[in-house]
mmCIF file of all heavy atoms in Angstrom:
data_model
loop_
_atom_site.group_PDB
_atom_site.id
_atom_site.type_symbol
_atom_site.label_atom_id
_atom_site.label_comp_id
_atom_site.label_asym_id
_atom_site.label_seq_id
_atom_site.Cartn_x
_atom_site.Cartn_y
_atom_site.Cartn_z
ATOM 1 N N LEU J 1 -2.714 119.018 57.375
ATOM 2 C CA LEU J 1 -3.411 118.087 58.281
ATOM 3 C C LEU J 1 -4.917 118.362 58.280
ATOM 4 O O LEU J 1 -5.688 117.394 58.196
ATOM 5 C CB LEU J 1 -2.872 118.254 59.695
ATOM 6 C CG LEU J 1 -1.417 117.857 59.938
ATOM 7 C CD1 LEU J 1 -1.005 118.178 61.353
ATOM 8 C CD2 LEU J 1 -1.172 116.349 59.677
ATOM 9 N N LEU J 2 -5.319 119.597 58.409
ATOM 10 C CA LEU J 2 -6.767 119.869 58.449
ATOM 11 C C LEU J 2 -7.455 119.640 57.134
ATOM 12 O O LEU J 2 -8.592 119.151 57.173
ATOM 13 C CB LEU J 2 -6.947 121.414 58.905
ATOM 14 C CG LEU J 2 -8.280 121.748 59.469
ATOM 15 C CD1 LEU J 2 -8.720 120.919 60.606
ATOM 16 C CD2 LEU J 2 -8.348 123.243 59.810
ATOM 17 N N ARG J 3 -6.691 119.790 56.089
ATOM 18 C CA ARG J 3 -7.334 119.455 54.788
ATOM 19 C C ARG J 3 -7.522 117.942 54.641
ATOM 20 O O ARG J 3 -8.563 117.521 54.167
ATOM 21 C CB ARG J 3 -6.315 119.803 53.592
ATOM 22 C CG ARG J 3 -6.420 121.267 53.128
ATOM 23 C CD ARG J 3 -5.343 121.546 52.117
ATOM 24 N NE ARG J 3 -5.478 122.869 51.549
ATOM 25 C CZ ARG J 3 -4.521 123.516 50.934
ATOM 26 N NH1 ARG J 3 -3.330 122.945 50.797
ATOM 27 N NH2 ARG J 3 -4.675 124.708 50.408
ATOM 28 N N GLU J 4 -6.566 117.124 55.165
ATOM 29 C CA GLU J 4 -6.656 115.723 55.041
ATOM 30 C C GLU J 4 -7.866 115.138 55.828
ATOM 31 O O GLU J 4 -8.591 114.217 55.263
ATOM 32 C CB GLU J 4 -5.375 115.117 55.534
ATOM 33 C CG GLU J 4 -5.363 113.601 55.334
ATOM 34 C CD GLU J 4 -4.096 112.906 55.704
ATOM 35 O OE1 GLU J 4 -3.011 113.687 55.804
ATOM 36 O OE2 GLU J 4 -4.004 111.665 55.893
ATOM 37 N N TYR J 5 -8.091 115.496 57.012
ATOM 38 C CA TYR J 5 -9.107 114.820 57.787
ATOM 39 C C TYR J 5 -10.430 115.620 57.939
ATOM 40 O O TYR J 5 -11.448 115.058 58.302
ATOM 41 C CB TYR J 5 -8.612 114.395 59.138
ATOM 42 C CG TYR J 5 -8.621 115.453 60.215
ATOM 43 C CD1 TYR J 5 -9.647 115.541 61.137
ATOM 44 C CD2 TYR J 5 -7.557 116.366 60.381
ATOM 45 C CE1 TYR J 5 -9.636 116.426 62.155
ATOM 46 C CE2 TYR J 5 -7.543 117.309 61.349
ATOM 47 C CZ TYR J 5 -8.573 117.394 62.242
ATOM 48 O OH TYR J 5 -8.565 118.321 63.238
ATOM 49 N N ARG J 6 -10.386 116.888 57.515
ATOM 50 C CA ARG J 6 -11.576 117.739 57.633
ATOM 51 C C ARG J 6 -12.033 118.298 56.276
ATOM 52 O O ARG J 6 -13.065 118.910 56.202
ATOM 53 C CB ARG J 6 -11.299 118.863 58.626
ATOM 54 C CG ARG J 6 -11.486 118.491 60.104
ATOM 55 C CD ARG J 6 -12.914 118.094 60.423
ATOM 56 N NE ARG J 6 -13.286 118.405 61.763
ATOM 57 C CZ ARG J 6 -14.517 118.362 62.213
ATOM 58 N NH1 ARG J 6 -15.517 118.016 61.502
ATOM 59 N NH2 ARG J 6 -14.796 118.648 63.497
ATOM 60 N N GLY J 7 -11.223 118.163 55.264
ATOM 61 C CA GLY J 7 -11.626 118.720 53.980
ATOM 62 C C GLY J 7 -11.539 120.200 53.912
ATOM 63 O O GLY J 7 -12.055 120.886 52.998
ATOM 64 N N PHE J 8 -10.846 120.803 54.958
ATOM 65 C CA PHE J 8 -10.763 122.305 55.030
ATOM 66 C C PHE J 8 -9.979 122.890 53.770
ATOM 67 O O PHE J 8 -8.972 122.364 53.420
ATOM 68 C CB PHE J 8 -10.063 122.665 56.324
ATOM 69 C CG PHE J 8 -10.113 124.075 56.744
ATOM 70 C CD1 PHE J 8 -11.249 124.639 57.354
ATOM 71 C CD2 PHE J 8 -9.075 124.943 56.441
ATOM 72 C CE1 PHE J 8 -11.281 125.987 57.760
ATOM 73 C CE2 PHE J 8 -9.106 126.309 56.829
ATOM 74 C CZ PHE J 8 -10.223 126.788 57.457
ATOM 75 N N ASP J 9 -10.484 123.957 53.271
ATOM 76 C CA ASP J 9 -9.839 124.652 52.153
ATOM 77 C C ASP J 9 -9.681 123.728 50.956
ATOM 78 O O ASP J 9 -8.788 123.849 50.222
ATOM 79 C CB ASP J 9 -8.454 125.140 52.620
ATOM 80 C CG ASP J 9 -7.868 126.147 51.558
ATOM 81 O OD1 ASP J 9 -8.649 126.904 50.939
ATOM 82 O OD2 ASP J 9 -6.620 126.160 51.438
ATOM 83 N N GLN J 10 -10.761 122.928 50.706
ATOM 84 C CA GLN J 10 -10.797 122.115 49.463
ATOM 85 C C GLN J 10 -12.163 122.272 48.782
ATOM 86 O O GLN J 10 -13.168 122.569 49.438
ATOM 87 C CB GLN J 10 -10.654 120.649 49.882
ATOM 88 C CG GLN J 10 -9.318 120.226 50.335
ATOM 89 C CD GLN J 10 -9.044 118.766 50.338
ATOM 90 O OE1 GLN J 10 -8.107 118.266 49.822
ATOM 91 N NE2 GLN J 10 -9.945 117.941 50.934
ATOM 92 N N ALA J 11 -12.088 122.102 47.496
ATOM 93 C CA ALA J 11 -13.330 122.269 46.696
ATOM 94 C C ALA J 11 -14.065 120.995 46.537
ATOM 95 O O ALA J 11 -15.182 120.978 46.095
ATOM 96 C CB ALA J 11 -12.980 122.814 45.290
ATOM 97 N N ASP J 12 -13.501 119.904 47.132
ATOM 98 C CA ASP J 12 -14.076 118.541 47.003
ATOM 99 C C ASP J 12 -15.250 118.442 47.968
ATOM 100 O O ASP J 12 -15.023 118.084 49.185
ATOM 101 C CB ASP J 12 -13.049 117.499 47.211
ATOM 102 C CG ASP J 12 -13.591 116.083 46.967
ATOM 103 O OD1 ASP J 12 -14.762 115.960 46.589
ATOM 104 O OD2 ASP J 12 -12.832 115.115 47.200
ATOM 105 N N THR J 13 -16.459 118.595 47.577
ATOM 106 C CA THR J 13 -17.627 118.488 48.439
ATOM 107 C C THR J 13 -18.036 117.034 48.616
ATOM 108 O O THR J 13 -19.009 116.792 49.344
ATOM 109 C CB THR J 13 -18.818 119.329 47.940
ATOM 110 O OG1 THR J 13 -19.121 118.954 46.571
ATOM 111 C CG2 THR J 13 -18.460 120.858 47.891
ATOM 112 N N SER J 14 -17.403 116.098 47.944
ATOM 113 C CA SER J 14 -17.747 114.689 48.150
ATOM 114 C C SER J 14 -17.217 114.142 49.458
ATOM 115 O O SER J 14 -17.642 113.105 49.934
ATOM 116 C CB SER J 14 -17.227 113.843 46.987
ATOM 117 O OG SER J 14 -15.746 113.808 47.035
ATOM 118 N N LEU J 15 -16.289 114.906 50.047
ATOM 119 C CA LEU J 15 -15.782 114.494 51.373
ATOM 120 C C LEU J 15 -16.969 114.510 52.388
ATOM 121 O O LEU J 15 -17.817 115.363 52.279
ATOM 122 C CB LEU J 15 -14.681 115.469 51.796
ATOM 123 C CG LEU J 15 -13.338 115.290 51.084
ATOM 124 C CD1 LEU J 15 -12.460 116.508 51.390
ATOM 125 C CD2 LEU J 15 -12.628 114.059 51.445
ATOM 126 N N GLU J 16 -16.853 113.549 53.288
ATOM 127 C CA GLU J 16 -17.952 113.521 54.270
ATOM 128 C C GLU J 16 -17.711 114.527 55.443
ATOM 129 O O GLU J 16 -17.475 114.162 56.539
ATOM 130 C CB GLU J 16 -18.127 112.078 54.809
ATOM 131 C CG GLU J 16 -18.651 111.109 53.800
ATOM 132 C CD GLU J 16 -18.865 109.697 54.365
ATOM 133 O OE1 GLU J 16 -18.648 109.555 55.556
ATOM 134 O OE2 GLU J 16 -19.117 108.834 53.568
ATOM 135 N N THR J 17 -17.606 115.791 55.073
ATOM 136 C CA THR J 17 -17.420 116.849 56.030
ATOM 137 C C THR J 17 -17.964 118.098 55.571
ATOM 138 O O THR J 17 -17.971 118.431 54.370
ATOM 139 C CB THR J 17 -15.851 117.047 56.230
ATOM 140 O OG1 THR J 17 -15.623 118.187 57.040
ATOM 141 C CG2 THR J 17 -15.106 117.187 54.946
ATOM 142 N N TYR J 18 -18.581 118.830 56.525
ATOM 143 C CA TYR J 18 -19.267 119.997 56.082
ATOM 144 C C TYR J 18 -18.322 121.141 55.662
ATOM 145 O O TYR J 18 -18.740 122.121 54.982
ATOM 146 C CB TYR J 18 -20.220 120.504 57.270
ATOM 147 C CG TYR J 18 -19.533 120.704 58.527
ATOM 148 C CD1 TYR J 18 -18.899 121.831 58.944
ATOM 149 C CD2 TYR J 18 -19.432 119.621 59.461
ATOM 150 C CE1 TYR J 18 -18.195 121.959 60.176
ATOM 151 C CE2 TYR J 18 -18.809 119.730 60.662
ATOM 152 C CZ TYR J 18 -18.206 120.933 61.050
ATOM 153 O OH TYR J 18 -17.609 121.020 62.225
ATOM 154 N N SER J 19 -17.008 121.125 56.130
ATOM 155 C CA SER J 19 -16.165 122.186 55.705
ATOM 156 C C SER J 19 -15.571 122.007 54.341
ATOM 157 O O SER J 19 -15.076 122.971 53.720
ATOM 158 C CB SER J 19 -15.017 122.283 56.777
ATOM 159 O OG SER J 19 -14.235 121.059 56.732
ATOM 160 N N GLY J 20 -15.689 120.795 53.746
ATOM 161 C CA GLY J 20 -15.318 120.537 52.420
ATOM 162 C C GLY J 20 -16.203 121.419 51.432
ATOM 163 O O GLY J 20 -17.413 121.313 51.506
ATOM 164 N N GLY J 21 -15.613 122.279 50.657
ATOM 165 C CA GLY J 21 -16.366 123.065 49.701
ATOM 166 C C GLY J 21 -16.555 124.476 50.225
ATOM 167 O O GLY J 21 -16.948 125.369 49.436
ATOM 168 N N LEU J 22 -16.348 124.756 51.488
ATOM 169 C CA LEU J 22 -16.546 126.088 52.067
ATOM 170 C C LEU J 22 -15.290 126.902 51.537
ATOM 171 O O LEU J 22 -14.149 126.595 51.822
ATOM 172 C CB LEU J 22 -16.557 126.072 53.537
ATOM 173 C CG LEU J 22 -16.599 127.411 54.326
ATOM 174 C CD1 LEU J 22 -17.870 128.139 53.944
ATOM 175 C CD2 LEU J 22 -16.427 127.239 55.804
ATOM 176 N N PRO J 23 -15.577 128.018 50.787
ATOM 177 C CA PRO J 23 -14.479 128.805 50.310
ATOM 178 C C PRO J 23 -13.887 129.683 51.413
ATOM 179 O O PRO J 23 -14.041 130.877 51.422
ATOM 180 C CB PRO J 23 -15.140 129.633 49.194
ATOM 181 C CG PRO J 23 -16.589 129.823 49.653
ATOM 182 C CD PRO J 23 -16.887 128.528 50.378
ATOM 183 N N VAL J 24 -13.113 129.067 52.215
ATOM 184 C CA VAL J 24 -12.577 129.711 53.494
ATOM 185 C C VAL J 24 -11.804 130.968 53.214
ATOM 186 O O VAL J 24 -11.629 131.870 53.982
ATOM 187 C CB VAL J 24 -11.837 128.730 54.329
ATOM 188 C CG1 VAL J 24 -12.706 127.689 54.897
ATOM 189 C CG2 VAL J 24 -10.675 128.078 53.590
ATOM 190 N N ARG J 25 -11.136 130.987 51.982
ATOM 191 C CA ARG J 25 -10.272 132.161 51.661
ATOM 192 C C ARG J 25 -11.132 133.341 51.182
ATOM 193 O O ARG J 25 -10.613 134.424 51.044
ATOM 194 C CB ARG J 25 -9.319 131.794 50.510
ATOM 195 C CG ARG J 25 -8.292 130.668 51.005
ATOM 196 C CD ARG J 25 -7.320 130.237 49.937
ATOM 197 N NE ARG J 25 -6.478 129.172 50.438
ATOM 198 C CZ ARG J 25 -5.374 129.241 51.128
ATOM 199 N NH1 ARG J 25 -4.933 130.476 51.405
ATOM 200 N NH2 ARG J 25 -4.715 128.222 51.516
ATOM 201 N N ASP J 26 -12.414 133.178 50.930
ATOM 202 C CA ASP J 26 -13.285 134.252 50.612
ATOM 203 C C ASP J 26 -13.940 134.861 51.817
ATOM 204 O O ASP J 26 -14.670 135.893 51.726
ATOM 205 C CB ASP J 26 -14.413 133.750 49.683
ATOM 206 C CG ASP J 26 -13.819 133.337 48.321
ATOM 207 O OD1 ASP J 26 -12.719 133.804 47.975
ATOM 208 O OD2 ASP J 26 -14.525 132.630 47.567
ATOM 209 N N LEU J 27 -13.688 134.278 53.026
ATOM 210 C CA LEU J 27 -14.344 134.791 54.199
ATOM 211 C C LEU J 27 -13.410 135.753 54.906
ATOM 212 O O LEU J 27 -12.174 135.646 54.789
ATOM 213 C CB LEU J 27 -14.626 133.672 55.228
ATOM 214 C CG LEU J 27 -15.912 132.882 55.012
ATOM 215 C CD1 LEU J 27 -16.008 132.173 53.646
ATOM 216 C CD2 LEU J 27 -16.082 131.832 56.116
ATOM 217 N N ALA J 28 -13.987 136.758 55.480
ATOM 218 C CA ALA J 28 -13.199 137.655 56.402
ATOM 219 C C ALA J 28 -13.236 137.045 57.819
ATOM 220 O O ALA J 28 -14.253 136.868 58.375
ATOM 221 C CB ALA J 28 -13.843 139.085 56.410
#
């Protein structure tokens, strides 16, 4: 769900969301 509307945990930075492209799995 969060991927779909927020682009969370996706590499697609073309999405109109600031979390798209953030490598969340690399963060502690």
Side-chain angles (χ1 to χ4, degrees):
L1 294 175
L2 199 56
R3 276 177 175 160
E4 180 174 347
Y5 82 98
R6 278 296 211 171
F8 190 83
D9 192 33
Q10 291 196 128
D12 184 4
T13 56
S14 67
L15 289 167
E16 293 183 5
T17 170
Y18 53 88
S19 60
L22 176 65
V24 293
R25 296 178 186 273
D26 293 339
L27 276 60

